[in-house]
Amino acid sequence: MTETAISAVDLGKRYGRRWGLRHCSLEVPAGRVVGLVGPNGAGKSTLMNLAVGLLRPTEGELHLLGERVGPGTVLERVAYIDQEHSLYRDFKVREMLRAGRVLNRRWDERIALDRLGELGIPLDRKVGGLSGGQRAQVALAVALAKKPDLLILDEPVASLDPLARRELMSVLMATKAEWDCTVVLSSHVVSELERLCDHLVVLDRGTVKLAADIDDLLEEHHLLTTTADAVEGVVGAISGEVLHREDDRGAVSLLVRGRPPAGAVHDVQPVNLESLVMHYLSAPGRQEVAA
Ligand SMILES: Nc1ncnc2c1ncn2[C@@H]1O[C@H](COP(=O)(O)OP(=O)(O)OP(=O)(O)O)[C@@H](O)[C@H]1O
């Protein structure tokens, strides 16, 4: 699949005098599982709501699967699950499926029935009477029956216990293995998404701090350890950027983006994703956009 799933150009949303998202530019290739990460108030929900047309941008442009999102856009190929799991609590599960059938031309009820059957979720139970984990699974089953090419989930596991989290994640992984859709999942915590995602978008205070394939990020960042005496030579030999330096009693650690130099460096270590993200979140005023 060579299509671009999400393309944002200088996208912004202002709430009154305050920007919830600003200067957001992104290119996410189709077929990726995207982790959208950032602390509270980073702009994750704002970006997702803009994507599914629940909010209108104050500035900029957004295309999903090649189609410009704007007033009147019908996003048939996109399914969205919000933090409340996008369900009517007074409906029975069967009625949720009926609503899905009426509202979606691409609807394939067999997909939802198979998922719910496998999980033993009764169709005659009211949604409000299900556990949080079961509600999340019903929301996912309904979303999947739409046969979406782009599935967007706003903090899908935030309210779930560890077992329900694991179950939901494994249904998602099985889905991804079955058909080549693009999935976007948001979370406050990288470690929650790390196993599932192959592309990362980090937001903070309404701006994009980092956006790239995870393999590329891990390949191009390194931790170098050297001595205070040697550090000047090491830094001079680095073809790339030193993002962070930490001095500790004659030893110096450098977080580097680029190729590490051969020679005087004592030690070169790979960086783990969580500490990389923490670095970008704590770096002041960075804005980074990559494919
Ligand atoms: N309806 C609104 N009215 C005013 N400000 C809003 C509104 N919705 C969001 N904001 C503000 O926009 C910014 C981004 O909020 P958003 O909900 O998109 O962040 P988030 O990353 O999803 O946060 P969380 O992880 O807490 O859900 C925050 O400063 C928030 O206070």
Side-chain angles (χ1 to χ4, degrees):
M1 217 192 263
T2 53
E3 206 176 9
T4 299
I6 304 171
S7 164
V9 180
D10 209 19
L11 188 67
K13 171 69 192 170
R14 197 176 57 207
Y15 299 103
R17 284 170 33 200
R18 196 189 174 121
W19 290 90
L21 188 74
R22 195 145 202 216
H23 303 312
C24 172
S25 293
L26 285 173
E27 283 281 322
V28 178
R32 299 290 197 276
V33 181
V34 183
L36 179 58
V37 181
N40 282 122
K44 304 181 295 296
S45 299
T46 299
L47 177 56
M48 291 180 152
N49 282 315
L50 287 166
V52 293
L54 290 172
L55 286 175
R56 284 169 78 163
T58 311
E59 59 185 23
E61 273 187 26
L62 181 67
H63 287 78
L64 293 191
L65 305 164
E67 189 178 348
R68 182 163 180 180
V69 181
T73 319
V74 181
L75 297 166
E76 279 196 329
R77 297 165 67 198
V78 180
Y80 173 58
I81 303 180
D82 68 16
Q83 289 178 21
E84 302 302 317
H85 299 132
S86 314
L87 297 170
Y88 301 109
R89 295 175 80 96
D90 287 336
F91 275 32
K92 290 181 177 167
V93 175
R94 191 186 301 286
E95 291 165 338
M96 279 303 312
L97 298 187
R98 193 176 307 139
R101 196 185 316 142
V102 172
L103 293 171
N104 297 284
R105 276 194 294 173
R106 287 158 59 103
W107 185 256
D108 183 344
E109 193 138 322
R110 183 49 43 205
I111 295 175
L113 290 172
D114 285 352
R115 299 270 170 209
L116 296 172
E118 273 165 33
L119 294 158
I121 296 176
L123 300 182
D124 281 326
R125 185 79 59 80
K126 273 198 176 173
V127 168
L130 298 172
S131 71
Q134 288 175 319
R135 276 201 297 278
Q137 291 287 8
V138 172
L140 185 58
V142 169
L144 295 178
K146 294 179 185 172
K147 293 196 289 179
D149 291 319
L150 175 58
L151 175 61
I152 300 179
L153 304 103
D154 192 355
E155 298 198 35
V157 296
S159 60
L160 305 183
D161 64 47
L163 184 63
R165 273 173 199 223
R166 189 139 38 98
E167 279 172 0
L168 190 78
M169 288 302 197
S170 73
V171 171
L172 261 179
M173 277 196 251
T175 303
K176 182 63 187 124
E178 265 169 50
W179 85 77
D180 200 12
C181 55
T182 306
V183 180
V184 180
L185 300 144
S186 72
S187 176
H188 297 122
V189 224
V190 191
S191 55
E192 221 161 46
L193 305 177
E194 202 171 353
R195 244 170 12 105
L196 195 63
C197 297
D198 52 16
H199 192 94
L200 192 71
V201 175
V202 179
L203 288 180
D204 189 27
R205 284 163 285 173
T207 62
V208 178
K209 293 277 185 161
L210 195 62
D213 281 344
I214 291 176
D215 282 351
D216 292 344
L217 285 176
L218 295 178
E219 203 177 299
E220 68 188 21
H221 289 81
H222 305 275
L223 263 183
L224 307 192
T225 315
T226 185
T227 60
D229 293 338
V231 69
E232 229 171 90
V234 171
V235 170
I238 288 169
S239 65
E241 196 186 350
V242 176
L243 300 172
H244 183 71
R245 171 179 168 154
E246 212 165 286
D247 290 70
D248 183 20
R249 285 167 290 172
V252 184
S253 308
L254 303 170
L255 175 63
V256 172
R257 184 172 196 169
R259 242 176 326 114
V265 180
H266 288 333
D267 191 27
V268 182
Q269 294 281 337
V271 186
N272 79 46
L273 196 63
E274 199 165 358
S275 52
L276 188 65
V277 169
M278 287 315 291
H279 167 77
Y280 277 92
L281 284 176
S282 58
R286 280 188 77 86
Q287 159 129 1
E288 173 124 354
V289 180

